[in-house]
Amino acid sequence: MMRKFLYCALLVAFPSLLLASASIENSDFIPRVINFVIFIAILWYFAFDSVKGIFITRKKAIAARLQEVQDNLHKAKQERENAQKRLEESKEKAKEIVNSAKQEEYLIRQKYDDQIKKDIELLKSALEANIEFEHRKAVRTSVENLLNELTANKNLQLNKEDYVNIITKRIS
């Protein structure tokens, strides 16, 4: 600190020594330098503590702001990491939900496919039974009409064997 003061004094005094046209004895340079040194010493004595306090306070304020910024940065990093973890968990949960939905859809599709197959088989058997019933009904009606015609016709004399042959041929 004292060296800085000495360098400042030399910096102020050196140009006047080099550029002075007269000798030092004839000038008032030495009293001015002494006055300047006294002024700096008085200023140092009275203002040093307050200036030093101002700089220390500023240094502490800057350090506190820096610490606050670092804390905020750390919190932001923690929140980002937590958000990233939640995002990954959500992605995993979404995959699980999709897989579960696919499995459920497959099971439901299988269930309905089986039910549809059973219904189709039931409808086929009902249709076949209905066709068979209609076929029998048609045969019965046809035989009944034939017998009515044969019995209505008085000219024609047939025995039982002839009736059976006619009915058998008619049915086929």
Side-chain angles (χ1 to χ4, degrees):
M1 192 62 117
M2 207 49 174
R3 283 186 181 176
K4 288 182 184 178
F5 177 70
L6 186 59
Y7 289 138
C8 286
L10 282 176
L11 187 64
V12 169
F14 192 68
S16 61
L17 288 176
L18 286 177
L19 299 173
S21 57
S23 68
I24 290 185
E25 292 106 20
N26 293 340
S27 71
D28 60 344
F29 177 73
I30 292 179
R32 284 187 183 192
V33 169
I34 291 172
N35 283 341
F36 181 73
V37 169
I38 292 172
F39 173 73
I40 295 295
I42 291 172
L43 187 64
W44 183 275
Y45 180 75
F46 287 113
F48 179 73
D49 290 333
S50 61
V51 171
K52 185 178 177 183
I54 290 170
F55 284 122
I56 288 174
T57 305
R58 184 161 186 247
K59 180 180 175 183
K60 287 180 182 178
I62 291 172
R65 280 190 285 165
L66 179 64
Q67 185 62 37
E68 182 180 335
V69 167
Q70 286 177 343
D71 290 343
N72 289 340
L73 179 65
H74 182 69
K75 286 179 186 177
K77 284 182 181 179
Q78 287 292 339
E79 288 176 5
R80 184 173 143 236
E81 288 174 6
N82 290 339
Q84 194 70 25
K85 287 178 185 177
R86 287 193 308 262
L87 177 66
E88 292 299 323
E89 290 172 359
S90 296
K91 284 181 180 178
E92 290 296 321
K93 199 177 273 189
K95 285 180 184 177
E96 290 175 9
I97 290 170
V98 167
N99 289 336
S100 173
K102 284 181 182 178
Q103 287 177 337
E104 191 173 326
E105 179 263 339
Y106 176 76
L107 293 174
I108 290 172
R109 182 181 295 167
Q110 288 293 95
K111 177 183 169 185
Y112 282 108
D113 285 348
D114 292 344
Q115 185 65 36
I116 289 170
K117 286 178 184 177
K118 288 178 185 176
D119 289 347
I120 289 172
E121 291 299 319
L122 270 168
L123 289 173
K124 280 183 181 179
S125 63
L127 180 64
E128 288 173 4
N130 197 14
I131 289 172
E132 182 66 29
F133 173 74
E134 290 296 326
H135 179 69
R136 285 186 197 155
K137 185 178 171 184
V139 168
R140 210 178 289 143
T141 305
S142 176
V143 169
E144 194 176 300
N145 287 340
L146 179 66
L147 287 176
N148 286 339
E149 285 178 20
L150 290 177
T151 54
N153 194 355
K154 301 282 183 188
N155 304 0
L156 190 61
Q157 293 292 335
L158 296 173
N159 61 8
K160 285 185 181 181
E161 199 173 287
D162 290 333
Y163 280 121
V164 171
N165 283 337
I166 291 171
I167 292 173
T168 309
K169 287 179 184 177
R170 185 70 173 193
I171 291 175
S172 332

